[in-house]
Amino acid sequence: MPANRQILLDNRPEGEATTSNFKLVTTQTPALQDGQVLVRHHYLSLDPYMRGRMNDSKSYAQPQPLGEVMIGGTVGEVLESRHPKFAVGDKVVGMGGWQEYSVVDANQPGAVRKVDTTHVPLSHYLGAVGMPGVTAWYGLVKIINPKAGETMVVSAATGAVGSAYGALAKARGCRVVGIAGGKDKCDYAVNELGFDACIDYKQHKDAGSLSKALKQACPNGIDGYFENVGGLVLDAVLLRMNAFGRIAVCGMIAGYDGQPMPLANPALILVNRLKIEGFIVSEHMEIWPEALKELGMLVGTGKLRPRESVAPNLEAAPEAFLGLLKGKNFGKQLVKLI
């Protein structure tokens, strides 16, 4: 069996995460038991939620155990199979973690899923046509429930979730406005992703200034907001929400280093009768088939053209992950493992 390089969580971050929290090791891959498949990972997904798992604090998911392979979504190819439904050469998506190979119990529901790479590149099953895309779909369709002509806003607009959200909202006849960091990202949101406008938050020192920019980009106010960031961005958006606006809370990346994130004007929730709902996409598996079908069509027809940042190998994963938390990536952050 092949030697397998893995990255473990070695110790928990105190405040900001650093590369010294991780450790690279090499192990032997165990022989397969009945019902198992051996997967050679082609790509590893890096996602903001992983930062929360590194802490030993109460959250919606168990903390990442120390001394074990870091959690993460993977796509790859079946090298060996002792399961009747999987053949050598099948392309699959799963939660293989930060390692080059994984042995998966294919009888476990959802542990490994076959994917078709005819019209959708394999890597997109970790982004637009994977968990991030479904996350955008759930927040938009099930929580915000947009109507044609309404104004939809999303922070981290050019990331894996934000770009899918833009395409899904445009398909429903909405005005779509993004918030992203830097001119390049904003130009891409408008020119490639089809956003109606995109605001560079780096040009704004405070919520008041960002809110003025939102007023220009959203002359009719904001009906639906998809929250990935929190902090100053959320304060600015709340000042522009319409009565009966809806906010889907997916992430709060501004607070991932453990600093408190106070809300400047919580009274606006009452004044504007806002609906604010947090969600975890893995708790809604029943909607995945419908969401993935629409996302696959958007990618296949070129209506969603996702961009990817690719780190070259497993050693580069920790650095790429820390960069992601600071917005250094452009589009979906992946690690190439083959």
Side-chain angles (χ1 to χ4, degrees):
M1 299 297 274
N4 182 21
R5 297 189 317 145
Q6 307 174 312
I7 288 181
L8 317 179
L9 180 63
D10 188 53
N11 54 78
R12 301 206 183 275
E14 290 171 27
E16 208 169 296
T18 66
T19 51
S20 63
N21 298 138
F22 303 98
K23 183 179 177 186
L24 180 69
V25 299
T26 303
T27 60
Q28 280 307 116
T29 312
L32 292 193
Q33 314 280 324
D34 280 342
Q36 291 182 331
V37 293
L38 173 66
V39 181
R40 172 69 165 109
H41 302 152
H42 288 207
Y43 291 96
L44 161 68
S45 172
L46 298 179
D47 300 277
Y49 75 84
M50 296 169 173
R51 176 61 189 85
R53 300 282 180 94
M54 290 169 74
N55 295 341
D56 191 13
S57 55
K58 185 183 180 316
S59 184
Y60 61 84
Q62 287 297 315
Q64 162 78 36
L66 287 176
E68 290 190 18
V69 177
M70 271 294 289
I71 186 173
T74 48
V75 285
E77 182 175 350
V78 175
L79 282 194
E80 193 186 328
S81 174
R82 291 189 59 181
H83 193 285
K85 291 206 173 120
F86 291 90
V88 171
D90 281 350
K91 300 290 191 291
V92 293
V93 59
M95 290 295 281
W98 295 30
Q99 55 183 344
E100 292 171 330
Y101 297 86
S102 62
V103 171
V104 189
D105 176 4
N107 288 320
Q108 227 183 347
V112 63
R113 178 169 62 84
K114 261 188 275 200
V115 293
D116 179 1
T117 53
T118 321
H119 302 293
V120 176
L122 183 60
S123 60
H124 285 357
Y125 285 103
L126 291 175
V129 194
M131 182 272 290
V134 179
T135 299
W137 192 97
Y138 187 88
L140 179 71
V141 177
K142 294 297 182 185
I143 295 177
I144 294 169
N145 187 18
K147 295 172 191 63
E150 288 190 326
T151 297
M152 298 292 130
V153 175
V154 59
S155 49
T158 58
V161 177
S163 52
Y165 177 90
L168 292 163
K170 286 307 288 182
R172 283 158 179 77
C174 297
R175 176 175 176 80
V176 183
V177 175
I179 301 170
K183 184 179 185 301
D184 289 352
K185 288 184 180 180
C186 287
D187 288 348
Y188 167 72
V190 173
N191 300 331
E192 293 276 324
L193 294 173
F195 279 66
D196 294 286
C198 188
I199 297 162
D200 177 5
Y201 70 81
K202 291 185 175 172
Q203 300 298 317
H204 303 280
K205 289 283 176 278
D206 55 56
S209 167
L210 182 56
S211 192
K212 281 200 184 93
L214 278 166
K215 189 176 186 178
Q216 283 187 316
C218 309
N220 300 323
I222 299 169
D223 301 296
Y225 174 52
F226 192 103
E227 177 61 291
N228 288 312
V229 176
L232 174 154
V233 176
L234 179 55
D235 283 335
V237 170
L238 279 173
L239 291 167
R240 295 286 158 233
M241 289 299 294
N242 287 333
F244 305 104
R246 293 85 67 197
I247 299 178
V249 182
C250 165
M252 290 268 177
I253 203 167
Y256 276 177
D257 289 335
Q259 298 303 315
M261 280 193 299
L263 206 52
N265 296 294
L268 290 169
I269 298 169
L270 171 61
V271 172
N272 288 323
R273 286 85 83 209
L274 301 179
K275 168 178 150 179
I276 302 182
E277 188 175 328
F279 71 102
I280 308 298
V281 74
S282 55
E283 294 174 347
H284 305 281
M285 296 311 290
E286 72 287 346
I287 61 99
W288 281 56
E290 184 187 351
L292 289 169
K293 189 176 166 192
E294 182 177 356
L295 292 156
M297 272 174 52
L298 286 171
V299 170
T301 56
K303 291 200 174 84
L304 170 53
R305 290 189 286 183
R307 186 157 165 171
E308 297 172 333
S309 293
V310 185
N313 49 36
L314 189 64
E315 294 93 313
E319 205 62 74
F321 173 64
L322 299 176
L324 164 79
L325 296 177
K326 292 190 157 58
K328 290 183 181 170
N329 60 306
F330 198 144
K332 171 72 204 170
Q333 181 66 60
L334 299 167
V335 182
K336 199 171 187 329
L337 297 174
I338 201 160

